């Protein structure tokens, strides 16, 4: 048994102090520099990996209430027995100003916010629906908005507005996805090149301009999501004409639904998406997200479509996410529409591929 004499005690205490300095104090001093404080980089936690991890696919949700009311999200999660990792919500340029609380509410529920940022006055669309106009009439009303011509966006007329959002999103300090001016290859929004006095090439110019305003404002926490609509006919322009380039895009996306009209035949996930996905892959190999999808039950095959969709997804390993449109709008696209549909969705997303978590310190994956 060792006896502790006074000299030995002094020696032990000295050694303990040196070890404390080496492991606790010295690294901090090195980070501080001369008489300074520890830098933000030294204090900041290291990212907890990429989102989603390779081989995984996140499940997202979009509702008509967005972050203003999470009741539909809670019902979706209960029916799916699965918490979504991304929430898509829309804001229109005519009336929306940056509101941090909307993003923070989504973050606090463990979901990455995805802003559907739409340069238009959506109230025209709402009024047209209230007047019970036909689908074609609604498309004409909402797409005819000269104030929001693409050339005006590209020309800088909205720069102060765009900059206010860029500065706000930068201040969040965590990753946010922006799906700007989606479904540009259609004819139903004022930012589509086929309507509203827009000209070929205007969409790319507008996209790049908005992106550059964000970059100049230092909003580097944005994952830019370029999202086309599935092509139903080869008579429309090639999707490549709308693509701004990989330097301006982080995720590519595509929107498509089964059973939008009562006269539509049954179309599987592959029949809805495969051709357009293949076309997008010739333009970019960025990770892909199904940015909106849903199925109706007008033919009684909604649950079947969901099962087949999730069976098909692994054949597209570059698809890193799927966002379900949980809204009863033109038709009832929700998974809560029936117990059979809820069960089909819950069984599908229980697969290990969809067991994903998101946290604000994760880095969105921008490569396959």
């Amino acid at each position: 048994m060792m006896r502790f004499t006074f000299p030995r005690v002094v020696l032990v205490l000295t050694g303990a102090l040196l070890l404390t300095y080496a492991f606790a104090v010295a690294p901090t001093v090195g980070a501080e520099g001369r008489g300074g404080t520890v830098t933000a980089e030294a204090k900041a936690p290291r990212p907890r990996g990429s989102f989603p991890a390779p081989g995984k696919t996140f499940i997202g949700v979009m509702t008509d209430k967005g972050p203003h009311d999470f009741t539909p999200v809670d019902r979706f999660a209960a029916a799916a027995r699965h918490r979504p990792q991304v929430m898509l919500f829309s804001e229109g340029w005519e009336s929306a100003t940056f509101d941090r609380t909307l993003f923070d509410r989504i973050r606090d529920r463990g979901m990455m916010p995805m802003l559907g940022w739409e340069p238009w006055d959506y109230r025209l669309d709402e009024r047209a629906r209230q007047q019970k106009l036909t689908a074609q009439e609604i498309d004409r009303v909402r797409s005819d908005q000269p104030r929001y011509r693409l050339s005006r966006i590209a020309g800088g007329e909205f720069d102060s507005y765009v900059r206010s959002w860029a500065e706000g999103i930068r201040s969040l300090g965590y990753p946010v996805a922006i799906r700007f001016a989606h479904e540009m290859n259609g004819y139903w929004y004022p930012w589509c090149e086929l309507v509203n006095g827009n000209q070929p090439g205007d969409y790319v110019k507008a996209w790049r301009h908005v992106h550059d305003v964000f970059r100049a404002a230092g909003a580097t926490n944005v994952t830019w999501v370029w999202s086309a609509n599935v092509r139903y006919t080869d008579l429309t322009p090639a999707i490549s004409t709308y693509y701004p380039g990989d330097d301006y895009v982080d995720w590519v996306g595509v929107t498509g639904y089964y059973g939008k009209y009562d006269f539509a035949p049954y179309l599987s996930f592959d029949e809805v998406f495969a051709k357009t996905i293949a076309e997008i892959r010739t333009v970019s190999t960025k990770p892909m997200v199904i940015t909106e999808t849903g199925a109706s039950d007008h033919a009684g095959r909604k649950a079947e479509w969901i099962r087949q969709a999730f069976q098909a997804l692994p054949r597209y390993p570059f698809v890193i996410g799927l966002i379900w449109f949980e809204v009863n709008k033109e038709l009832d696209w929700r998974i809560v529409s029936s117990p059979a549909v809820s069960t089909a969705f819950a069984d599908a997303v229980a697969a290990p591929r969809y067991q994903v978590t998101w946290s604000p310190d994760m880095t969105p994956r921008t490569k396959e």
Side-chain angles (χ1 to χ4, degrees):
M1 182 175 181
M2 181 180 291
R3 294 180 60 197
F4 283 89
T5 62
F6 179 77
R8 282 190 176 131
V9 170
V10 172
L11 183 62
V12 170
L13 290 174
T14 303
L17 289 171
L18 288 172
L19 287 172
T20 300
Y21 178 86
F23 287 99
V25 179
T28 303
V29 172
E32 289 176 346
R34 291 186 180 179
T37 58
V38 180
T39 63
E41 290 78 10
K43 286 183 177 179
R46 292 185 178 181
R48 294 178 53 191
S50 61
F51 174 78
K56 298 287 188 177
T57 300
F58 70 73
I59 300 299
V61 66
M62 183 179 188
T63 70
D64 56 346
K65 305 295 184 182
H68 301 281
D69 181 356
F70 284 96
T71 302
V73 177
D74 293 338
R75 290 173 179 162
F76 172 87
R81 302 194 294 274
H82 186 96
R83 297 297 305 182
Q85 301 89 37
V86 171
M87 184 174 184
L88 171 62
F89 71 104
S90 297
E91 294 290 340
W93 284 22
E94 182 69 21
S95 57
T97 57
F98 176 77
D99 182 354
R100 180 189 180 109
T101 60
L102 300 179
F103 295 88
D104 286 348
R105 287 172 189 166
I106 297 172
R107 176 207 59 188
D108 292 345
R109 284 174 164 256
M111 297 182 290
M112 179 181 180
M114 181 183 291
L115 169 66
W117 210 30
E118 303 173 355
W120 69 327
D121 184 353
Y122 72 90
R123 294 171 298 188
L124 298 179
D125 175 79
E126 288 186 341
R127 284 197 289 269
R129 293 180 186 278
Q130 291 168 359
Q131 295 168 5
K132 300 188 181 303
L133 301 182
T134 67
Q136 292 76 16
E137 290 171 334
I138 292 172
D139 287 341
R140 283 196 295 270
V141 167
R142 67 180 179 183
S143 65
D144 184 21
Q145 300 190 33
R147 169 171 163 75
Y148 290 104
R149 257 184 211 132
L150 291 168
S151 59
R152 302 188 71 176
I153 298 172
E157 292 188 38
F158 295 92
D159 278 7
S160 60
Y161 177 78
V162 173
R163 193 176 300 110
S164 70
W165 278 79
E167 293 169 350
I169 289 176
R170 181 192 64 198
S171 72
L172 293 175
Y174 54 82
V176 170
I178 295 181
R179 182 183 71 157
F180 172 65
H182 63 297
E183 300 172 19
M184 75 303 292
N185 58 324
Y187 53 82
W188 44 84
Y189 290 123
W191 56 81
C192 297
E193 281 192 359
L194 299 178
V195 295
N196 202 30
N198 296 319
Q199 300 298 316
D202 281 352
Y203 182 82
V204 168
K205 293 175 184 176
W207 177 286
R208 290 177 176 176
H209 182 79
V210 169
H211 182 282
D212 288 345
V213 172
F214 270 70
R215 179 180 289 171
T220 58
N221 56 323
V222 174
T223 298
W224 290 93
V225 185
W226 175 88
S227 179
N229 198 72
V230 293
R231 287 182 74 192
Y232 293 105
T233 173
D234 291 335
L235 298 177
T236 57
I239 285 178
S240 60
T241 63
Y242 304 107
Y243 190 62
D246 282 354
D247 289 343
Y248 293 86
V249 173
D250 299 302
W251 292 348
V252 294
V254 59
T255 292
Y257 291 81
Y258 155 62
K260 192 164 187 176
Y261 302 106
D262 289 344
F263 58 80
Y266 179 79
L267 297 173
S268 68
F269 179 91
D270 285 329
E271 290 171 316
V272 173
F273 284 100
K275 186 174 181 179
T276 305
I277 288 176
E279 184 177 356
I280 292 174
R281 291 289 287 176
T282 67
V283 174
S284 175
T285 57
K286 289 283 187 176
M288 182 177 291
V289 177
I290 307 299
T291 47
E292 275 185 54
T293 194
S296 76
D297 210 15
H298 73 273
R301 303 181 70 177
K302 185 173 183 176
E304 176 186 355
W305 191 89
I306 289 171
R307 285 192 295 269
Q308 291 183 344
F310 281 95
Q311 289 168 1
L313 269 180
R315 296 199 295 271
Y316 305 92
F318 45 84
V319 173
I320 64 169
L322 178 146
I323 298 175
W324 193 265
F325 190 65
E326 188 69 2
V327 179
N328 185 357
K329 195 179 178 184
E330 304 93 347
L331 296 170
D332 193 347
W333 309 107
R334 300 171 302 162
I335 68 166
V336 300
S337 60
S338 75
V341 170
S342 297
T343 298
F345 195 92
D347 289 347
V349 299
R353 180 182 188 87
Y354 309 107
Q355 304 312 303
V356 181
T357 57
W358 176 83
S359 65
D361 54 358
M362 298 181 79
T363 303
R365 181 156 60 94
T366 58
K367 295 182 179 180
E368 287 186 27

